[in-house]
Amino acid sequence: MDLVEVERVLAGTLPHTVLDDDAKRYAARHYRGRPKRLGVLLGVSDKTITAWREASG
């Protein structure tokens, strides 16, 4: 996983399509922010962000 790509997606300078599911899950777990905003940036729903966060403990 390329953390620079994750950071660029979260900064809005790279489209979410470059990230695989593992990278999106990593971003959801490790980057704090509103689930709705992260969902938009990662191309998933806010419910998905919340579920990934809850699953990681």
Side-chain angles (χ1 to χ4, degrees):
M1 172 176 42
D2 186 341
L3 293 178
V4 173
E5 283 183 349
V6 172
E7 289 180 19
R8 289 184 61 203
V9 168
L10 294 176
T13 60
L14 197 63
H16 65 81
T17 54
V18 301
L19 299 180
D20 61 17
D21 285 340
D22 289 335
K24 290 178 182 182
R25 284 186 163 107
Y26 177 88
R29 288 190 316 261
H30 291 90
Y31 289 85
R32 292 296 146 212
R34 297 183 127 156
K36 188 170 188 168
R37 173 74 176 140
L38 281 175
V40 168
L41 291 170
L42 297 175
V44 298
S45 73
D46 57 329
K47 291 179 183 180
T48 299
I49 298 294
T50 302
W52 286 344
R53 286 179 173 175
E54 289 174 356
S56 71

Short mmCIF file of all heavy atoms in Angstrom, two decimals:
data_model
loop_
_atom_site.label_atom_id
_atom_site.label_comp_id
_atom_site.label_asym_id
_atom_site.label_seq_id
_atom_site.Cartn_x
_atom_site.Cartn_y
_atom_site.Cartn_z
N MET A 1 0.84 -1.17 0.00
CA MET A 1 0.00 0.00 0.00
C MET A 1 0.89 1.24 0.00
O MET A 1 1.89 1.30 0.70
CB MET A 1 -0.88 -0.04 1.25
CG MET A 1 -1.67 1.20 1.45
SD MET A 1 -2.80 1.17 2.86
CE MET A 1 -1.87 0.39 4.11
N ASP A 2 0.49 2.20 -0.78
CA ASP A 2 1.25 3.44 -0.91
C ASP A 2 0.59 4.52 -0.05
O ASP A 2 -0.49 5.03 -0.38
CB ASP A 2 1.26 3.85 -2.38
CG ASP A 2 2.14 5.05 -2.65
OD1 ASP A 2 2.47 5.80 -1.71
OD2 ASP A 2 2.50 5.25 -3.83
N LEU A 3 1.22 4.85 1.07
CA LEU A 3 0.65 5.84 1.98
C LEU A 3 0.60 7.24 1.38
O LEU A 3 -0.26 8.04 1.74
CB LEU A 3 1.43 5.86 3.29
CG LEU A 3 1.29 4.59 4.14
CD1 LEU A 3 2.14 4.71 5.40
CD2 LEU A 3 -0.15 4.32 4.49
N VAL A 4 1.49 7.53 0.45
CA VAL A 4 1.45 8.83 -0.22
C VAL A 4 0.17 8.93 -1.05
O VAL A 4 -0.49 9.98 -1.05
CB VAL A 4 2.71 9.04 -1.10
CG1 VAL A 4 2.58 10.30 -1.92
CG2 VAL A 4 3.95 9.09 -0.23
N GLU A 5 -0.20 7.86 -1.72
CA GLU A 5 -1.45 7.87 -2.48
C GLU A 5 -2.64 8.07 -1.54
O GLU A 5 -3.55 8.83 -1.86
CB GLU A 5 -1.63 6.56 -3.26
CG GLU A 5 -0.81 6.48 -4.51
CD GLU A 5 -1.08 5.22 -5.30
OE1 GLU A 5 -1.75 4.29 -4.79
OE2 GLU A 5 -0.59 5.14 -6.44
N VAL A 6 -2.63 7.39 -0.40
CA VAL A 6 -3.72 7.55 0.58
C VAL A 6 -3.82 9.01 1.01
O VAL A 6 -4.90 9.60 1.01
CB VAL A 6 -3.50 6.63 1.81
CG1 VAL A 6 -4.53 6.95 2.89
CG2 VAL A 6 -3.59 5.17 1.41
N GLU A 7 -2.70 9.61 1.34
CA GLU A 7 -2.70 11.01 1.77
C GLU A 7 -3.19 11.93 0.66
O GLU A 7 -3.94 12.88 0.92
CB GLU A 7 -1.31 11.42 2.22
CG GLU A 7 -0.90 10.79 3.54
CD GLU A 7 0.48 11.21 3.99
OE1 GLU A 7 1.00 12.24 3.51
OE2 GLU A 7 1.03 10.50 4.84
N ARG A 8 -2.78 11.66 -0.57
CA ARG A 8 -3.21 12.51 -1.68
C ARG A 8 -4.70 12.37 -1.95
O ARG A 8 -5.38 13.36 -2.26
CB ARG A 8 -2.40 12.19 -2.94
CG ARG A 8 -0.96 12.67 -2.80
CD ARG A 8 -0.14 12.46 -4.05
NE ARG A 8 -0.72 13.19 -5.17
CZ ARG A 8 -0.50 12.88 -6.45
NH1 ARG A 8 0.28 11.85 -6.76
NH2 ARG A 8 -1.05 13.58 -7.40
N VAL A 9 -5.24 11.16 -1.82
CA VAL A 9 -6.68 10.98 -1.98
C VAL A 9 -7.41 11.75 -0.89
O VAL A 9 -8.39 12.46 -1.17
CB VAL A 9 -7.05 9.47 -1.95
CG1 VAL A 9 -8.56 9.29 -1.81
CG2 VAL A 9 -6.55 8.77 -3.21
N LEU A 10 -6.94 11.66 0.34
CA LEU A 10 -7.60 12.36 1.44
C LEU A 10 -7.45 13.87 1.34
O LEU A 10 -8.28 14.61 1.87
CB LEU A 10 -7.08 11.85 2.78
CG LEU A 10 -7.42 10.38 3.07
CD1 LEU A 10 -6.78 9.93 4.36
CD2 LEU A 10 -8.92 10.17 3.09
N ALA A 11 -6.42 14.32 0.65
CA ALA A 11 -6.25 15.76 0.42
C ALA A 11 -7.09 16.24 -0.76
O ALA A 11 -7.20 17.44 -1.00
CB ALA A 11 -4.77 16.07 0.18
N GLY A 12 -7.64 15.29 -1.51
CA GLY A 12 -8.47 15.65 -2.65
C GLY A 12 -7.70 15.91 -3.93
O GLY A 12 -8.25 16.45 -4.88
N THR A 13 -6.41 15.53 -3.98
CA THR A 13 -5.61 15.78 -5.18
C THR A 13 -5.43 14.55 -6.05
O THR A 13 -4.77 14.62 -7.08
CB THR A 13 -4.22 16.33 -4.79
OG1 THR A 13 -3.55 15.36 -3.98
CG2 THR A 13 -4.34 17.64 -4.04
N LEU A 14 -6.03 13.43 -5.63
CA LEU A 14 -5.94 12.19 -6.39
C LEU A 14 -7.30 11.50 -6.26
O LEU A 14 -7.89 11.51 -5.18
CB LEU A 14 -4.83 11.32 -5.81
CG LEU A 14 -4.27 10.17 -6.63
CD1 LEU A 14 -3.61 10.69 -7.90
CD2 LEU A 14 -3.25 9.39 -5.81
N PRO A 15 -7.83 10.90 -7.32
CA PRO A 15 -9.14 10.25 -7.23
C PRO A 15 -9.08 8.96 -6.40
O PRO A 15 -8.06 8.28 -6.38
CB PRO A 15 -9.49 9.95 -8.69
CG PRO A 15 -8.18 9.86 -9.38
CD PRO A 15 -7.26 10.81 -8.66
N HIS A 16 -10.19 8.65 -5.75
CA HIS A 16 -10.25 7.46 -4.90
C HIS A 16 -10.06 6.17 -5.67
O HIS A 16 -9.74 5.14 -5.09
CB HIS A 16 -11.56 7.42 -4.11
CG HIS A 16 -12.78 7.26 -4.96
ND1 HIS A 16 -13.19 6.05 -5.46
CD2 HIS A 16 -13.66 8.17 -5.42
CE1 HIS A 16 -14.28 6.21 -6.17
NE2 HIS A 16 -14.59 7.51 -6.16
N THR A 17 -10.23 6.21 -6.97
CA THR A 17 -10.14 4.99 -7.77
C THR A 17 -8.73 4.39 -7.79
O THR A 17 -8.58 3.23 -8.15
CB THR A 17 -10.59 5.26 -9.22
OG1 THR A 17 -9.85 6.36 -9.75
CG2 THR A 17 -12.07 5.60 -9.26
N VAL A 18 -7.72 5.15 -7.37
CA VAL A 18 -6.36 4.61 -7.34
C VAL A 18 -6.13 3.70 -6.14
O VAL A 18 -5.17 2.95 -6.10
CB VAL A 18 -5.28 5.71 -7.36
CG1 VAL A 18 -5.41 6.57 -8.60
CG2 VAL A 18 -5.31 6.55 -6.11
N LEU A 19 -7.03 3.78 -5.14
CA LEU A 19 -6.85 2.99 -3.93
C LEU A 19 -7.60 1.67 -4.01
O LEU A 19 -8.73 1.61 -4.49
CB LEU A 19 -7.37 3.77 -2.71
CG LEU A 19 -6.71 5.10 -2.39
CD1 LEU A 19 -7.36 5.72 -1.17
CD2 LEU A 19 -5.22 4.93 -2.17
N ASP A 20 -6.97 0.62 -3.49
CA ASP A 20 -7.68 -0.65 -3.37
C ASP A 20 -8.44 -0.66 -2.05
O ASP A 20 -8.35 0.26 -1.25
CB ASP A 20 -6.72 -1.84 -3.50
CG ASP A 20 -5.65 -1.88 -2.42
OD1 ASP A 20 -5.79 -1.20 -1.38
OD2 ASP A 20 -4.67 -2.61 -2.61
N ASP A 21 -9.22 -1.72 -1.82
CA ASP A 21 -10.04 -1.77 -0.61
C ASP A 21 -9.22 -1.74 0.67
O ASP A 21 -9.62 -1.12 1.65
CB ASP A 21 -10.93 -3.02 -0.62
CG ASP A 21 -12.09 -2.89 -1.58
OD1 ASP A 21 -12.44 -1.76 -1.96
OD2 ASP A 21 -12.66 -3.93 -1.95
N ASP A 22 -8.06 -2.39 0.67
CA ASP A 22 -7.22 -2.38 1.87
C ASP A 22 -6.75 -0.96 2.21
O ASP A 22 -6.74 -0.57 3.38
CB ASP A 22 -6.00 -3.29 1.70
CG ASP A 22 -6.37 -4.76 1.70
OD1 ASP A 22 -7.42 -5.12 2.27
OD2 ASP A 22 -5.60 -5.55 1.13
N ALA A 23 -6.40 -0.20 1.21
CA ALA A 23 -5.95 1.18 1.44
C ALA A 23 -7.10 2.05 1.94
O ALA A 23 -6.92 2.89 2.81
CB ALA A 23 -5.36 1.77 0.16
N LYS A 24 -8.29 1.82 1.42
CA LYS A 24 -9.46 2.58 1.87
C LYS A 24 -9.78 2.24 3.33
O LYS A 24 -10.08 3.12 4.13
CB LYS A 24 -10.66 2.30 0.98
CG LYS A 24 -10.52 2.90 -0.41
CD LYS A 24 -11.70 2.55 -1.29
CE LYS A 24 -11.51 3.11 -2.69
NZ LYS A 24 -12.66 2.83 -3.55
N ARG A 25 -9.68 0.96 3.67
CA ARG A 25 -9.93 0.56 5.06
C ARG A 25 -8.88 1.17 5.99
O ARG A 25 -9.20 1.62 7.09
CB ARG A 25 -9.92 -0.96 5.17
CG ARG A 25 -11.17 -1.58 4.65
CD ARG A 25 -11.18 -3.08 4.93
NE ARG A 25 -12.54 -3.56 4.78
CZ ARG A 25 -12.96 -4.29 3.77
NH1 ARG A 25 -12.14 -4.64 2.84
NH2 ARG A 25 -14.20 -4.68 3.69
N TYR A 26 -7.64 1.17 5.55
CA TYR A 26 -6.57 1.78 6.33
C TYR A 26 -6.88 3.26 6.59
O TYR A 26 -6.76 3.74 7.70
CB TYR A 26 -5.23 1.63 5.61
CG TYR A 26 -4.09 2.31 6.34
CD1 TYR A 26 -3.37 1.63 7.31
CD2 TYR A 26 -3.76 3.64 6.08
CE1 TYR A 26 -2.34 2.26 8.00
CE2 TYR A 26 -2.75 4.27 6.76
CZ TYR A 26 -2.03 3.58 7.72
OH TYR A 26 -1.03 4.21 8.40
N ALA A 27 -7.26 3.95 5.54
CA ALA A 27 -7.57 5.38 5.67
C ALA A 27 -8.74 5.60 6.64
O ALA A 27 -8.69 6.50 7.47
CB ALA A 27 -7.90 5.97 4.30
N ALA A 28 -9.76 4.77 6.54
CA ALA A 28 -10.92 4.91 7.42
C ALA A 28 -10.54 4.71 8.88
O ALA A 28 -11.06 5.39 9.77
CB ALA A 28 -12.01 3.93 7.02
N ARG A 29 -9.62 3.77 9.13
CA ARG A 29 -9.23 3.47 10.51
C ARG A 29 -8.24 4.47 11.09
O ARG A 29 -8.28 4.77 12.28
CB ARG A 29 -8.60 2.07 10.58
CG ARG A 29 -9.58 0.96 10.40
CD ARG A 29 -8.97 -0.39 10.72
NE ARG A 29 -7.64 -0.58 10.16
CZ ARG A 29 -7.37 -1.24 9.04
NH1 ARG A 29 -8.34 -1.77 8.34
NH2 ARG A 29 -6.14 -1.38 8.62
N HIS A 30 -7.34 4.99 10.28
CA HIS A 30 -6.23 5.78 10.80
C HIS A 30 -6.35 7.29 10.63
O HIS A 30 -5.61 8.03 11.25
CB HIS A 30 -4.92 5.31 10.17
CG HIS A 30 -4.53 3.94 10.62
ND1 HIS A 30 -4.94 2.81 9.96
CD2 HIS A 30 -3.84 3.52 11.70
CE1 HIS A 30 -4.47 1.76 10.59
NE2 HIS A 30 -3.81 2.16 11.66
N TYR A 31 -7.25 7.73 9.80
CA TYR A 31 -7.42 9.16 9.60
C TYR A 31 -8.72 9.60 10.25
O TYR A 31 -9.79 9.09 9.92
CB TYR A 31 -7.40 9.52 8.12
CG TYR A 31 -6.02 9.38 7.52
CD1 TYR A 31 -5.58 8.15 7.06
CD2 TYR A 31 -5.17 10.46 7.45
CE1 TYR A 31 -4.30 8.00 6.55
CE2 TYR A 31 -3.90 10.32 6.93
CZ TYR A 31 -3.47 9.08 6.47
OH TYR A 31 -2.22 8.94 5.96
N ARG A 32 -8.62 10.52 11.17
CA ARG A 32 -9.80 11.00 11.86
C ARG A 32 -10.47 12.07 11.02
O ARG A 32 -9.83 12.89 10.38
CB ARG A 32 -9.43 11.56 13.23
CG ARG A 32 -8.96 10.50 14.17
CD ARG A 32 -10.08 9.52 14.45
NE ARG A 32 -9.53 8.18 14.63
CZ ARG A 32 -10.16 7.07 14.30
NH1 ARG A 32 -11.34 7.12 13.75
NH2 ARG A 32 -9.62 5.90 14.49
N GLY A 33 -11.73 12.03 11.04
CA GLY A 33 -12.53 12.98 10.29
C GLY A 33 -13.95 12.47 10.28
O GLY A 33 -14.24 11.35 10.71
N ARG A 34 -14.81 13.28 9.82
CA ARG A 34 -16.22 12.89 9.76
C ARG A 34 -16.40 11.77 8.75
O ARG A 34 -15.86 11.84 7.63
CB ARG A 34 -17.07 14.07 9.38
CG ARG A 34 -17.02 15.17 10.40
CD ARG A 34 -17.93 16.25 9.99
NE ARG A 34 -18.81 16.51 11.12
CZ ARG A 34 -19.42 17.66 11.29
NH1 ARG A 34 -19.29 18.60 10.40
NH2 ARG A 34 -20.18 17.84 12.34
N PRO A 35 -17.17 10.75 9.13
CA PRO A 35 -17.40 9.63 8.20
C PRO A 35 -17.96 10.07 6.85
O PRO A 35 -17.56 9.53 5.81
CB PRO A 35 -18.39 8.74 8.95
CG PRO A 35 -18.10 9.00 10.39
CD PRO A 35 -17.76 10.47 10.44
N LYS A 36 -18.83 11.06 6.86
CA LYS A 36 -19.41 11.51 5.58
C LYS A 36 -18.33 12.09 4.67
O LYS A 36 -18.29 11.80 3.47
CB LYS A 36 -20.51 12.53 5.84
CG LYS A 36 -21.28 12.89 4.61
CD LYS A 36 -22.51 13.69 4.93
CE LYS A 36 -23.35 13.86 3.68
NZ LYS A 36 -24.67 14.38 3.95
N ARG A 37 -17.45 12.92 5.22
CA ARG A 37 -16.37 13.54 4.43
C ARG A 37 -15.40 12.48 3.91
O ARG A 37 -15.02 12.49 2.75
CB ARG A 37 -15.65 14.58 5.28
CG ARG A 37 -14.43 15.19 4.65
CD ARG A 37 -14.79 16.15 3.55
NE ARG A 37 -13.58 16.76 3.05
CZ ARG A 37 -13.36 17.01 1.78
NH1 ARG A 37 -14.27 16.75 0.89
NH2 ARG A 37 -12.23 17.55 1.39
N LEU A 38 -14.99 11.56 4.80
CA LEU A 38 -14.09 10.49 4.37
C LEU A 38 -14.75 9.62 3.31
O LEU A 38 -14.10 9.18 2.37
CB LEU A 38 -13.66 9.64 5.56
CG LEU A 38 -12.57 10.21 6.44
CD1 LEU A 38 -12.34 9.31 7.64
CD2 LEU A 38 -11.29 10.40 5.68
N GLY A 39 -16.03 9.36 3.50
CA GLY A 39 -16.76 8.55 2.52
C GLY A 39 -16.73 9.17 1.13
O GLY A 39 -16.52 8.47 0.13
N VAL A 40 -16.93 10.46 1.07
CA VAL A 40 -16.89 11.16 -0.22
C VAL A 40 -15.50 11.02 -0.84
O VAL A 40 -15.36 10.71 -2.02
CB VAL A 40 -17.28 12.64 -0.05
CG1 VAL A 40 -16.97 13.44 -1.31
CG2 VAL A 40 -18.74 12.77 0.31
N LEU A 41 -14.47 11.24 -0.04
CA LEU A 41 -13.11 11.18 -0.55
C LEU A 41 -12.71 9.77 -0.99
O LEU A 41 -11.94 9.59 -1.94
CB LEU A 41 -12.12 11.69 0.50
CG LEU A 41 -12.19 13.18 0.80
CD1 LEU A 41 -11.36 13.51 2.03
CD2 LEU A 41 -11.74 14.00 -0.39
N LEU A 42 -13.23 8.76 -0.27
CA LEU A 42 -12.85 7.37 -0.56
C LEU A 42 -13.83 6.65 -1.49
O LEU A 42 -13.59 5.51 -1.87
CB LEU A 42 -12.71 6.59 0.75
CG LEU A 42 -11.62 7.08 1.69
CD1 LEU A 42 -11.66 6.30 3.00
CD2 LEU A 42 -10.24 6.98 1.06
N GLY A 43 -14.93 7.30 -1.82
CA GLY A 43 -15.89 6.70 -2.74
C GLY A 43 -16.73 5.60 -2.12
O GLY A 43 -17.15 4.67 -2.80
N VAL A 44 -16.99 5.72 -0.80
CA VAL A 44 -17.84 4.76 -0.10
C VAL A 44 -18.82 5.56 0.77
O VAL A 44 -18.67 6.76 0.94
CB VAL A 44 -17.02 3.78 0.78
CG1 VAL A 44 -16.09 2.94 -0.07
CG2 VAL A 44 -16.23 4.51 1.86
N SER A 45 -19.78 4.86 1.35
CA SER A 45 -20.76 5.56 2.19
C SER A 45 -20.20 5.83 3.58
O SER A 45 -19.24 5.19 4.01
CB SER A 45 -22.05 4.73 2.30
OG SER A 45 -21.82 3.62 3.14
N ASP A 46 -20.83 6.76 4.27
CA ASP A 46 -20.42 7.04 5.64
C ASP A 46 -20.68 5.84 6.55
O ASP A 46 -19.94 5.60 7.51
CB ASP A 46 -21.10 8.30 6.18
CG ASP A 46 -22.62 8.24 6.13
OD1 ASP A 46 -23.18 7.60 5.23
OD2 ASP A 46 -23.25 8.86 7.00
N LYS A 47 -21.68 5.03 6.22
CA LYS A 47 -21.96 3.81 6.98
C LYS A 47 -20.82 2.81 6.84
O LYS A 47 -20.48 2.11 7.78
CB LYS A 47 -23.28 3.20 6.55
CG LYS A 47 -24.47 4.04 6.95
CD LYS A 47 -25.76 3.41 6.51
CE LYS A 47 -26.92 4.32 6.87
NZ LYS A 47 -28.20 3.77 6.46
N THR A 48 -20.23 2.76 5.66
CA THR A 48 -19.09 1.88 5.43
C THR A 48 -17.90 2.32 6.27
O THR A 48 -17.22 1.50 6.89
CB THR A 48 -18.73 1.83 3.93
OG1 THR A 48 -19.85 1.33 3.20
CG2 THR A 48 -17.52 0.95 3.68
N ILE A 49 -17.65 3.63 6.30
CA ILE A 49 -16.55 4.16 7.12
C ILE A 49 -16.76 3.79 8.58
O ILE A 49 -15.85 3.30 9.25
CB ILE A 49 -16.45 5.70 6.98
CG1 ILE A 49 -16.14 6.11 5.52
CG2 ILE A 49 -15.42 6.27 7.94
CD1 ILE A 49 -14.80 5.70 5.02
N THR A 50 -17.97 3.98 9.08
CA THR A 50 -18.27 3.66 10.47
C THR A 50 -18.10 2.17 10.73
O THR A 50 -17.53 1.78 11.75
CB THR A 50 -19.71 4.11 10.82
OG1 THR A 50 -19.81 5.52 10.57
CG2 THR A 50 -20.06 3.82 12.25
N ALA A 51 -18.56 1.34 9.83
CA ALA A 51 -18.43 -0.12 10.00
C ALA A 51 -16.96 -0.54 10.02
O ALA A 51 -16.56 -1.37 10.84
CB ALA A 51 -19.18 -0.84 8.88
N TRP A 52 -16.14 0.03 9.12
CA TRP A 52 -14.72 -0.31 9.11
C TRP A 52 -14.06 0.12 10.40
O TRP A 52 -13.21 -0.60 10.94
CB TRP A 52 -14.03 0.36 7.93
CG TRP A 52 -14.31 -0.26 6.60
CD1 TRP A 52 -14.86 -1.49 6.35
CD2 TRP A 52 -14.07 0.32 5.32
NE1 TRP A 52 -14.95 -1.71 5.00
CE2 TRP A 52 -14.48 -0.60 4.34
CE3 TRP A 52 -13.55 1.54 4.90
CZ2 TRP A 52 -14.37 -0.36 2.98
CZ3 TRP A 52 -13.45 1.79 3.54
CH2 TRP A 52 -13.86 0.86 2.61
N ARG A 53 -14.41 1.27 10.92
CA ARG A 53 -13.83 1.76 12.17
C ARG A 53 -14.24 0.86 13.34
O ARG A 53 -13.41 0.53 14.18
CB ARG A 53 -14.24 3.19 12.44
CG ARG A 53 -13.53 4.18 11.55
CD ARG A 53 -13.98 5.59 11.83
NE ARG A 53 -13.18 6.56 11.09
CZ ARG A 53 -13.42 7.85 11.08
NH1 ARG A 53 -14.44 8.34 11.76
NH2 ARG A 53 -12.65 8.66 10.39
N GLU A 54 -15.49 0.48 13.38
CA GLU A 54 -15.96 -0.38 14.47
C GLU A 54 -15.33 -1.77 14.39
O GLU A 54 -15.01 -2.35 15.43
CB GLU A 54 -17.48 -0.49 14.43
CG GLU A 54 -18.17 0.80 14.84
CD GLU A 54 -19.68 0.76 14.67
OE1 GLU A 54 -20.22 -0.25 14.16
OE2 GLU A 54 -20.33 1.75 15.05
N ALA A 55 -15.13 -2.28 13.20
CA ALA A 55 -14.53 -3.60 13.03
C ALA A 55 -13.07 -3.63 13.46
O ALA A 55 -12.56 -4.67 13.86
CB ALA A 55 -14.65 -4.05 11.58
N SER A 56 -12.41 -2.49 13.39
CA SER A 56 -11.00 -2.45 13.76
C SER A 56 -10.79 -2.27 15.26
O SER A 56 -9.67 -2.35 15.74
CB SER A 56 -10.28 -1.33 13.00
OG SER A 56 -10.68 -0.07 13.47
N GLY A 57 -11.88 -2.03 15.97
CA GLY A 57 -11.79 -1.93 17.43
C GLY A 57 -11.59 -0.57 17.87
O GLY A 57 -11.20 0.02 18.68
#
